[in-house]
Amino acid sequence: MADSSSTKIFLEEKEIPRQWYNIAADLPCPLPPPLHPGTGKPIGPDDLAPLFPMGLILQEVSQERWIDIPEEVLKIYTLWRPSPLYRARRLEEVLKTPARIYYKYEGVSPAGSHKPNTAIAQAYFNKKEGVKRLSTETGAGQWGSALALACNFFGLECKVYMVKVSYHQKPYRRSMMETWGAKVVASPSSDTQGGRKILAEDPNSPGSLGIAISEAVEDAATRDDTHYSLGSVLNHVLLHQTVIGLEAKKQLAAVGETPDIVIGCCGGGSNFAGLSFPFLADKIHGKQLRAIAVEPAACPTLTRGVYTYDFGDTVGVTPLVAMYTLGHKFVPAGIHAGGLRYHGDSPLVCLLVKEGLVEARAYLQNPVFEAAITFARSEAILPAPESAHAIRAVIDEAERCRLEGKAQTILFNLSGHGHFDMGAYDAYLSGKLEDYELPQESIDRALKDLASLPKVS
Ligand SMILES: *Cc1c(COP(=O)(O)O)cnc(C)c1O
């Protein structure tokens, strides 16, 4: 049994949550509906059917608070779930903070991040409806790895469009995907019309998540045997990730704790949502809690974007969704937190930021890696550069607690390990990592393309 002196707090396999938590049932106001990219009219489940299985579409629009996790998915979850909750005692000591710091470690999954929590569920629902092949995009390679793993379990083919800069920066992520049986191409690629068009305009395009999404969507839309799979942003993806927060709640309860602050890094919003939504359910119903989503200053969607309708991809083939966005044409700088380089964010997370239930902040790369090193030298785990954004915020909050003499409880999501990111660590350790803050003119330019799109009423 865990007690207040424990370093790791474990649950039994039988304590894995049997249901996902759907925050749509508790929102303070409804999500603006997604709109058809051509007509601008609200889309229905049938519009999504060429891309997704009905099982996932129904989750996407569901208002039910609890949604059952299928037995087959639970069985695969047991390979690494429940994930451990750690008390970061050594970090607390280094920081001389009265705060108590806990982290949920999702790097124990076979792919090294939280992403298999949804990949397994998505592959399952596709397989169940007779789909043979899934197409997807990947930035840093974590999502591609997770989906390759999931497809391998269910005997599905997997085609991954990998953002070109990452394809060259992280060759071993590609090897990992291929080991699990996926086919991987650098995006923009010559395999799709969208990719060929971008290559014709700019043969040296470094690619972006938005471009890779366009390619993967086109692939699925033009083949009968193929569906598309997205690793973040969508409601059903965030839903699947709530196993993280639901487990964390039980683990904290086992040592008599409730968090004052919940922190996660935010790329598309899925690991932040996965940890925080089960706690935000209590905040919506009156409990005191701060939830902080952390993003890079080079891609400051929540902190400097505008809340409006925008495409999920660059070409403009996905539905329009209401979110904080830097514009679908935005191509972020090649920072090392590849998983945090998306021009938009999950509509659910954006709504919660807009309604004041979630705080957002942005950090530069060097302070983020400084935090990663402090963490690695105290807690020993090498965090993913994405997760290190959360750690930066945790250290700053713990420092505030020290100055104010407050013994608050801080919980954060250590969304993955950084074993494939040693190039980024090298750059930091040799003083070659550049801080890049997005200039306002670059935001203004990217936002111009939004003028002709519908507005949130
Ligand atoms: C993909 C990824 C992220 C960012 O994606 P979210 O959907 O915002 O969670 C963060 N951390 C790690 C380790 C990732 O792989």
Side-chain angles (χ1 to χ4, degrees), residues 407-426:
Q408 292 190 317
T409 302
I410 302 173
L411 169 67
F412 78 97
N413 204 352
L414 186 56
S415 51
H417 65 64
H419 297 180
F420 288 88
D421 301 280
M422 298 321 293
Y425 276 87
D426 268 353

Side-chain angles (χ1 to χ4, degrees), residues 24 48 91 110 145 205 267 428 457:
L48 296 172
L91 179 64
S145 310
S205 164
Y428 175 75
S457 52

Side-chain angles (χ1 to χ4, degrees), residues 119-329:
I120 301 296
Q122 293 189 41
Y124 166 79
F125 284 104
N126 275 289
K127 174 74 178 184
K128 203 173 149 216
E129 293 179 31
V131 171
K132 299 280 183 280
R133 180 174 173 273
L134 291 179
S135 68
T136 197
E137 71 290 332
T138 195
Q142 290 113 324
W143 169 242
S145 310
L147 195 70
L149 169 76
C151 285
N152 177 61
F153 280 126
F154 290 102
L156 299 171
E157 275 182 58
C158 182
K159 170 79 177 263
V160 182
Y161 294 86
M162 185 171 187
V163 177
K164 201 196 280 167
V165 277
S166 304
Y167 185 90
H168 295 300
Q169 258 175 13
K170 299 193 180 180
Y172 294 133
R173 272 284 169 194
R174 174 176 53 73
S175 317
M176 192 177 199
M177 292 183 255
E178 289 172 351
T179 300
W180 281 320
K183 289 206 172 63
V184 187
V185 288
S187 165
S189 78
S190 54
D191 294 7
T192 66
Q193 227 175 22
R196 287 191 293 272
K197 186 159 171 270
I198 287 163
L199 284 175
E201 285 163 12
D202 178 10
N204 296 320
S205 164
S208 70
L209 263 188
I211 294 171
I213 293 174
S214 301
E215 289 206 272
V217 168
E218 182 189 321
D219 181 315
T222 52
R223 285 180 61 146
D224 283 343
D225 63 346
T226 302
H227 269 166
Y228 168 65
S229 186
L230 190 60
S232 186
V233 178
L234 297 177
N235 303 344
H236 67 266
V237 178
L238 276 56
L239 172 81
H240 300 153
Q241 293 295 355
T242 58
V243 287
I244 303 171
L246 293 167
E247 285 179 7
K249 254 189 167 175
K250 289 189 196 174
Q251 287 162 311
L252 283 176
V255 291
E257 291 268 25
T258 52
D260 297 297
I261 311 175
V262 179
I263 296 175
C265 66
C266 193
S270 74
N271 89 86
F272 169 74
L275 181 68
S276 67
F277 280 7
F279 294 97
L280 281 166
D282 303 333
K283 180 178 168 99
I284 291 168
H285 294 116
K287 207 167 167 37
Q288 277 288 334
L289 173 81
R290 290 173 61 208
I292 307 176
V294 190
E295 59 186 16
C299 191
T301 323
L302 295 172
T303 49
R304 293 173 67 197
V306 286
Y307 186 80
T308 187
Y309 273 107
D310 195 8
F311 296 108
D313 70 319
T314 301
V315 175
V317 293
T318 70
L320 291 157
V321 294
M323 60 183 175
Y324 283 100
T325 176
L326 297 169
H328 54 279
K329 298 269 175 69

Side-chain angles (χ1 to χ4, degrees), residues 9 51 72 107 114 150 183 193 196 236 280 345 395 401:
I9 302 150
L51 294 182
E72 292 87 335
H114 62 292
K183 289 206 172 63
Q193 227 175 22
R196 287 191 293 272
H236 67 266
L280 281 166
D345 255 308
I395 292 177
C401 286

